[in-house]
Amino acid sequence: MSSILNTSNLNRSNSSIADAYGLNSQKASMAKADPSTEKTSSQKGSTQTESTGTDAIALSSRAQRAQKIQAMSKDFFANGQFSVADIPALVSRLQKDGILSERQVERLSQNGINPLTTDKTSTQSLQNFIDDELKSLSETSPNNPLINTLVDAKHVLTNMGDAQSPLLAQKAAKVFGQLTDYINSNPPMTDTQKQQWQGLKSTMQVASSMGSQQSALGQLSSYLALAKR
């Protein structure tokens, strides 16, 4: 009987010591889940999911845009025969595919590019025109800065499938400005030559407008807005 009482007293003593040092309360605290931690983890998971979804939408938009530009390049520029007469059809295609906005097309129209025009006056390809001009300049004025402008213009024409690239769009914008200055200086040229120079300038303006930072932002913003609903 005395042994049983001693064992009982020992158990109560051990329990009192554990309480005194907070061991029992720590065990209880560890056993109980922290609701704030669960909430934070849930919020992090939700944020990561939303971010991943937004990134996926943005990536999908860029991929679809790139595919459309590559298809356009194959149809218009792959054979190297793109001419001034093809510019209206090019602009219409880009607007239909959503590469160029209505505002951009309107701006192009103000600069002499009319998507509804079907004039077939000039049939020489722009690349052949560039080659002819480069040959002439190399013989008569080999140090003419216009040579570099034409070389850059040809680079843009042969890489239109990568028109979404900011670098190509910047090069096209640079060439557009240089051609504008040249044409505005009123150099001696025939009406046919003037039409070709104007057509080359217009094509560079179209190419510069196709850069991802130009026309994709509005479309991407719409996708992101839908994703957050």
Side-chain angles (χ1 to χ4, degrees):
M1 184 71 173
S2 175
S3 176
I4 295 176
L5 290 176
N6 289 338
T7 300
S8 176
N9 291 334
L10 179 59
N11 289 338
R12 283 199 299 270
S13 176
N14 288 339
S15 176
S16 298
I17 292 174
D19 289 338
Y21 283 94
L23 296 179
N24 288 337
S25 60
Q26 289 179 7
K27 291 180 181 179
S29 176
M30 291 175 64
K32 185 178 180 181
D34 188 345
S36 62
T37 302
E38 292 180 354
K39 183 177 181 181
T40 301
S41 300
S42 176
Q43 290 175 343
K44 287 183 179 179
S46 176
T47 301
Q48 290 174 353
T49 301
E50 181 178 350
S51 176
T52 301
T54 300
D55 291 343
I57 293 174
L59 179 60
S60 175
S61 174
R62 290 193 297 270
Q64 291 178 6
R65 178 182 173 81
Q67 289 177 351
K68 290 179 180 179
I69 289 177
Q70 290 173 359
M72 172 280 301
S73 178
K74 182 179 179 180
D75 292 341
F76 284 89
F77 296 94
N79 60 6
Q81 296 303 308
F82 182 83
S83 68
V84 174
D86 297 316
I87 295 177
L90 171 65
V91 174
S92 294
R93 167 72 172 271
L94 293 173
Q95 182 179 20
K96 179 181 178 181
D97 287 348
I99 305 301
L100 295 180
S101 66
E102 292 184 7
R103 184 175 180 180
Q104 287 175 309
V105 173
E106 182 180 354
R107 189 181 302 116
L108 293 171
S109 179
Q110 292 172 352
N111 284 278
I113 303 178
N114 187 348
L116 301 179
T117 299
T118 56
D119 182 17
K120 296 292 183 180
T121 301
S122 179
T123 57
Q124 183 187 27
S125 74
L126 289 179
Q127 289 198 35
N128 287 341
F129 170 71
I130 290 174
D131 289 338
D132 290 346
E133 292 297 322
L134 284 173
K135 181 179 179 180
S136 177
L137 287 171
S138 64
E139 294 174 352
T140 61
S141 182
N143 296 321
N144 194 320
L146 191 59
I147 292 178
N148 291 332
T149 297
L150 290 172
V151 170
D152 286 343
K154 188 171 183 178
H155 174 80
V156 172
L157 290 176
T158 56
N159 291 277
M160 287 294 281
D162 195 33
Q164 184 168 257
S165 164
L167 292 178
L168 193 70
Q170 290 171 9
K171 184 182 288 291
K174 177 183 177 182
V175 174
F176 169 74
Q178 292 170 337
L179 292 175
T180 299
D181 292 340
Y182 173 68
I183 294 173
N184 289 343
S185 67
N186 295 317
M189 62 179 68
T190 65
D191 289 343
T192 300
Q193 287 178 319
K194 185 175 182 179
Q195 186 182 44
Q196 292 285 64
W197 283 108
Q198 290 282 3
L200 184 59
K201 184 190 78 169
S202 297
T203 305
M204 293 299 106
Q205 185 179 13
V206 172
S208 67
S209 299
M210 292 165 61
S212 58
Q213 76 279 15
Q214 295 289 337
S215 55
L217 291 178
Q219 184 180 17
L220 180 57
S221 296
S222 299
Y223 282 126
L224 295 180
L226 290 173
K228 292 181 179 180
R229 291 182 179 180

